[in-house]
Amino acid sequence: MYNGLYITATSQRNGKSVIALGMMQLLSRTLRKVAIFRPIISEPQLDDLDPDINLMLKHFKIDMEYAATFAYTYTEAREIINQGSRSLLVENILRKYKKLLETHDFVLCVGTDFLGKDPVPEFELNVEIAANLGCPVILVTTGENKTADEARESLQPVMDALAQYSVDVIAAVINMAGLTQTELDELRRHFARGESAPLLYAVPDEPLVGKPTMRDVQKIVDGEILFGHNRMDALVGDYLVAAMHVDHVLQYIAKDQLVIAPGDRTDMLLAAIASRLSSSTPDIAGVLLTGGLRPPAEVCDLIEGWSGSPLPVLLTRHHTYKTILALREIYSVIEPDDIRKINTVLGLFEHYVNGKEIAERLQTRCGSHTTPMMFEFNLIERAKSARMRIVLPEGTEERILRATDILLRRDVAEIILLGDPGVIAQKAQALGLDIGKAGVINPAASPRFDEYSQSYFEFRKNKGITSEQARDIMSDATYFGTMMVKKNDADGMVSGSVNTTSHTIRPAFEFIKTKPGFSVVSSVFLMCLKNRVLVFGDCAVNPNPTARQLAEIAIASARTARVFDIEPRVAMLSYSTGTSGKGADVDIVVEATKIARQLAPELAIEGPLQYDAAIDPAVARTKLPDSEVAGRATVFIFPDLNTGNNTYKAVQRAAGALAIGPVLQGLNRPVNDLSRGCTVADIVNTVAITAVQAAAEKADG
């Protein structure tokens, strides 16, 4: 089940507040604690609260601090993006969202108000935020003055954009629509794409909801109420600037108009009130006097003597032209005390939007989609909660020291550095790093050195190792660090920024050994693409695995994926899909798939599959339409090292993907290898991965 929902529009004034209000009503009926969250709010006016947040907090009596309901104002967000820190913006929004989930059952998110000049980048920002929060989306678009064809043409590119981010679109709502039921049914058929097709609803225009009230006018022009305090809920449908003589203006009077006139036009003010009293003219909404010119006392007395003013009259200090410009920016706000409008909105939602269908989608679908930012954020958070002890044998290497400083500052893990303490301290000081909380051990001077050497001798004496050789070998930092893991003096090890892969993992092969049921140690790369995280294996260890080994690699890779909250759907890759090809290379994948299904019948696994059929739903529908994996694979098992290594590097370079790994799997305890070209960020991520692996091992006993 999802624990959040993101409501976004495609441009301003699409009525997303209506849908948000209806959804909060729906969620509040079934969930105990629902939070409201707006990642980016419009700029507050003086002490005013964001209207959407204010409405939700007050009407539904939500117990939240206002500061917790949003992350940034529009200006703050724009400044951060302009500084090139868009990822930081999204990461901080994600952090605040996660904080709400700690104390709430569900978080309803409402997107931006589209105040910028170009709605396209703002829509893309909303989609990016929703994707990184892991929220499904309800899309709100306007159907005002649109035919069915125009509605379809405006929705299609938006749906395509959402699909690129792998965002689950629960529903699309066409607001202020004038569609017939036949036209709506045709639109639903057009967008139907199996079980994942979005629900589609059309909500007709309701003047009470869409039109601003005289109270909205008062706020936008900073007006003073002169008369008609009890009529401020009157709806404004249009504006009439009274620049002509009264008898000419009366020819243009229409229902629900706001008559705008300079404050010294007392003739127009009296004529407007008289028109409201007359049964032969349409009822106007009110009068707005400009220029700060207050009517004379005699005129005011006359109006007040009319058994109370029959319509509201406002006064603004702005001149007429500036007033018109301000009114162009007005939009209808649903106030918490406007019970009439709130009930109208809820009635519209309940009548035209099937809340039961939406609730079922939220409950039955699983948020398995993971973006790179979500992955890295969750990775660090999970490592922090586990507080594992990770040993880094290359303790004097600059990148290791810089990574240690970051890891300790972020409290990701307890770090143990191997090497000469004096050299390490001197280098850290020269680099301006704070590594005071790290443990530092010189292997040869360690009180555990003799014990470790003797243990290694016992493990390897049948291989011809002498006790003297064991002591020499154990003085090597990599062997010493691996023995720390073996002896439970550390929970995991990360090395390879200086040492070769073979030197890093050889000790683990020698005495940590493989898990029961596994004959090989293998590896995966966690491929962080733009909108998803995939698992590629084996791309670093086994050159030509047998069918049995390939099956073990598939099962181990699926387990690794699950450790990192990636729902495993395993594709056994080949140059053939299904039965389309023949040959020894295909046969080994067929056999490996069969073995993997026998060893792990609960696993979603398909093979042989070509890469395009594994990842692209459109290709999968053609080549293997009935597969639960084809087109949706998250774990990709390559038939040999040549294919896997080249493919991961091609994807890394061509798609600009972040490749985290290799992550070793199949060992009894977590040991991971770094590339000698690794960055400080790579080291931080690999330590966090090792910590999460170690925590999972402990949880499994």
Side-chain angles (χ1 to χ4, degrees):
M1 175 183 174
Y2 281 114
N3 52 18
L5 176 67
Y6 199 100
I7 298 176
T8 184
T10 55
S11 61
Q12 60 179 307
R13 301 178 188 175
N14 278 342
K16 69 179 185 304
S17 300
V18 172
I19 308 306
L21 189 68
M23 279 307 306
M24 182 60 81
Q25 174 94 327
L26 177 68
L27 294 166
S28 299
R29 289 172 178 170
T30 55
L31 297 170
R32 189 174 61 88
K33 292 194 71 177
V34 182
I36 178 67
F37 180 58
R38 296 202 68 191
I40 301 171
I41 64 171
S42 303
E43 221 59 40
Q45 300 295 320
L46 299 177
D47 295 328
D48 286 351
L49 304 181
D50 177 85
D52 286 347
I53 294 174
N54 188 41
L55 172 63
M56 299 294 184
L57 292 180
K58 291 185 177 178
H59 181 73
F60 295 102
K61 298 179 174 59
I62 299 173
D63 184 17
M64 289 180 67
E65 293 290 334
Y66 179 70
T69 62
F70 68 96
Y72 292 100
T73 65
Y74 189 84
T75 299
E76 292 169 342
R78 184 174 55 193
E79 288 176 355
I80 292 172
I81 292 172
N82 290 342
Q83 292 168 4
S85 301
R86 185 184 180 106
S87 60
L88 177 64
L89 173 87
V90 179
E91 183 179 342
N92 287 338
I93 289 171
L94 175 58
R95 183 173 286 108
K96 198 152 191 179
Y97 172 80
K98 291 285 188 181
K99 192 72 176 175
L100 288 176
L101 285 177
E102 293 175 5
T103 54
H104 293 81
D105 303 319
F106 197 95
V107 180
L108 179 64
C109 305
V110 181
T112 63
D113 291 327
F114 288 86
L115 298 180
K117 296 179 180 179
D118 188 350
V120 174
E122 193 163 334
F123 173 73
E124 291 175 345
L125 177 61
N126 278 282
V127 175
E128 183 179 348
I129 293 171
N132 282 293
L133 299 186
C135 289
V137 163
I138 288 183
L139 179 68
V140 184
T141 188
T142 181
E144 189 175 19
N145 301 321
K146 287 184 180 178
T147 65
D149 287 342
E150 289 170 338
R152 183 186 67 251
E153 289 169 2
S154 64
L155 267 177
Q156 189 64 64
V158 175
M159 292 292 196
D160 292 341
L162 288 163
Q164 291 176 8
Y165 280 86
S166 299
V167 172
D168 184 6
V169 184
I170 293 285
V173 181
I174 306 173
N175 220 355
M176 298 171 280
L179 303 176
T180 66
Q181 186 61 48
T182 301
E183 289 172 329
L184 178 59
D185 291 341
E186 179 58 35
L187 278 177
R188 285 171 173 164
R189 282 191 292 271
H190 173 78
F191 288 106
R193 295 172 183 172
E195 294 181 0
S196 62
L199 302 167
L200 190 62
Y201 306 107
V203 178
D205 186 24
E206 169 53 60
L208 180 60
V209 176
K211 291 180 179 179
T213 63
M214 286 297 294
R215 188 174 289 105
D216 296 327
V217 172
Q218 179 203 1
K219 286 187 176 182
I220 200 72
V221 300
D222 190 23
E224 176 189 350
I225 305 174
L226 299 181
F227 307 103
H229 289 74
N230 61 339
R231 305 285 183 109
M232 293 299 291
D233 59 350
L235 298 176
V236 177
D238 197 4
Y239 307 119
L240 175 63
V241 179
M244 295 179 285
H245 195 270
V246 169
D247 54 347
H248 296 300
V249 171
L250 290 176
Q251 298 176 25
Y252 294 95
I253 289 288
K255 182 174 172 56
D256 295 337
Q257 271 182 341
L258 172 64
V259 176
I260 304 167
D264 57 0
R265 287 289 304 274
T266 54
D267 60 330
M268 193 62 248
L269 172 61
L270 294 174
I273 296 175
S275 76
R276 183 62 184 264
L277 295 171
S278 172
S279 60
S280 63
T281 54
D283 289 340
I284 61 174
V287 177
L288 175 57
L289 302 176
T290 65
L293 301 171
R294 190 179 300 274
E298 296 83 0
V299 174
C300 291
D301 290 341
L302 177 63
I303 296 173
E304 288 172 354
W306 245 327
S307 300
S309 174
L311 80 167
V313 177
L314 304 177
L315 174 66
T316 177
R317 66 181 185 279
H318 303 310
H319 57 70
T320 302
Y321 180 69
K322 189 173 182 180
T323 298
I324 294 298
L325 291 178
L327 290 174
R328 290 178 61 183
E329 302 300 319
I330 197 172
Y331 63 98
S332 177
V333 173
I334 306 174
E335 300 286 354
D337 57 355
D338 195 339
I339 301 303
R340 179 187 176 202
K341 187 175 284 191
I342 290 172
N343 285 324
T344 301
V345 165
L346 294 177
L348 277 172
F349 183 88
E350 290 171 355
H351 186 78
Y352 292 100
V353 178
N354 192 326
K356 184 178 179 181
E357 284 183 333
I358 293 177
E360 287 175 353
R361 291 284 180 101
L362 289 172
Q363 290 172 357
T364 57
R365 292 191 185 180
C366 177
S368 59
H369 167 65
T370 304
T371 67
M373 185 174 292
M374 289 168 58
F375 179 80
E376 290 194 67
F377 179 87
N378 291 335
L379 179 65
I380 296 297
E381 292 300 306
R382 289 180 62 188
K384 287 169 66 174
S385 66
R387 291 291 297 160
M388 294 289 103
R389 301 161 300 166
I390 307 300
V391 59
L392 307 177
E394 301 156 327
T396 57
E397 162 62 28
E398 178 179 332
R399 289 167 295 167
I400 294 292
L401 292 173
R402 291 189 182 278
T404 298
D405 179 84
I406 294 170
L407 290 161
L408 294 174
R409 287 180 188 277
R410 298 184 69 178
D411 204 26
V412 174
E414 295 181 23
I415 302 299
I416 304 166
L417 299 172
L418 301 186
D420 186 310
V423 174
I424 290 174
Q426 185 179 13
K427 281 197 170 185
Q429 185 177 9
L431 294 168
L433 304 175
D434 181 6
I435 62 168
K437 293 181 180 179
V440 181
I441 298 174
N442 186 342
S446 167
R448 308 295 298 272
F449 181 76
D450 290 339
E451 176 194 339
Y452 286 5
S453 299
Q454 183 60 32
S455 293
Y456 183 74
F457 170 68
E458 295 296 333
F459 290 142
R460 303 291 291 174
K461 63 183 178 181
N462 62 333
K463 299 292 185 181
I465 295 294
T466 66
S467 58
E468 291 77 12
Q469 289 173 323
R471 293 180 66 84
D472 288 341
I473 290 171
M474 199 48 55
S475 64
D476 180 276
T478 302
Y479 273 86
F480 190 91
T482 307
M483 189 61 76
M484 289 184 70
V485 177
K486 174 69 176 179
K487 292 285 190 176
N488 202 32
D489 292 329
D491 299 306
M493 185 185 84
V494 174
S495 188
S497 65
V498 177
N499 293 305
T500 63
T501 295
S502 62
H503 186 78
T504 297
I505 65 178
R506 185 185 299 116
F509 288 165
E510 290 182 1
F511 53 86
I512 285 185
K513 304 293 186 181
T514 58
K515 292 177 180 292
F518 289 89
S519 62
V520 294
V521 174
S522 59
S523 71
V524 295
F525 279 89
L526 301 168
M527 303 298 295
C528 299
L529 280 72
K530 178 182 178 181
N531 56 5
R532 69 185 88 180
V533 178
L534 304 176
V535 177
F536 282 13
D538 174 9
C539 303
V541 179
N542 296 282
N544 292 291
T546 65
R548 171 76 188 201
Q549 290 172 335
L550 206 54
E552 291 181 13
I553 292 169
I555 295 169
S557 300
R559 290 180 181 177
T560 299
R562 192 170 278 117
V563 165
F564 296 105
D565 294 329
I566 299 170
E567 182 64 28
R569 293 185 290 272
V570 183
M572 307 293 286
L573 297 177
S574 173
Y575 61 76
S576 168
T577 294
T579 59
S580 66
K582 303 293 182 183
D585 291 338
V586 177
D587 293 342
I588 196 171
V589 176
V590 171
E591 180 65 18
T593 304
K594 180 180 177 182
I595 296 171
R597 285 172 173 165
Q598 291 171 346
L599 295 175
E602 77 286 354
L603 191 61
I605 184 167
E606 187 73 69
L609 276 177
Q610 292 164 288
Y611 190 91
D612 60 349
I615 199 169
D616 190 326
V619 177
R621 283 194 293 270
T622 301
K623 293 188 174 183
L624 214 63
D626 298 324
S627 171
E628 63 176 325
V629 173
R632 303 173 62 237
T634 55
V635 179
F636 297 78
I637 306 302
F638 296 93
D640 54 58
L641 184 58
N642 182 49
T643 306
N645 192 268
N646 278 294
T647 302
Y648 105 76
K649 288 182 177 178
V651 172
Q652 180 186 29
R653 301 300 179 186
L658 171 65
I660 301 176
V663 179
L664 298 183
Q665 54 192 18
L667 288 167
N668 275 312
R669 302 292 298 278
V671 171
N672 280 311
D673 179 39
L674 296 164
S675 163
R676 278 172 287 177
C678 66
T679 64
V680 172
D682 293 335
I683 299 170
V684 171
N685 283 334
T686 305
V687 169
I689 281 173
T690 308
V692 171
Q693 283 182 301
E697 296 285 351
K698 287 195 172 185
D700 291 341

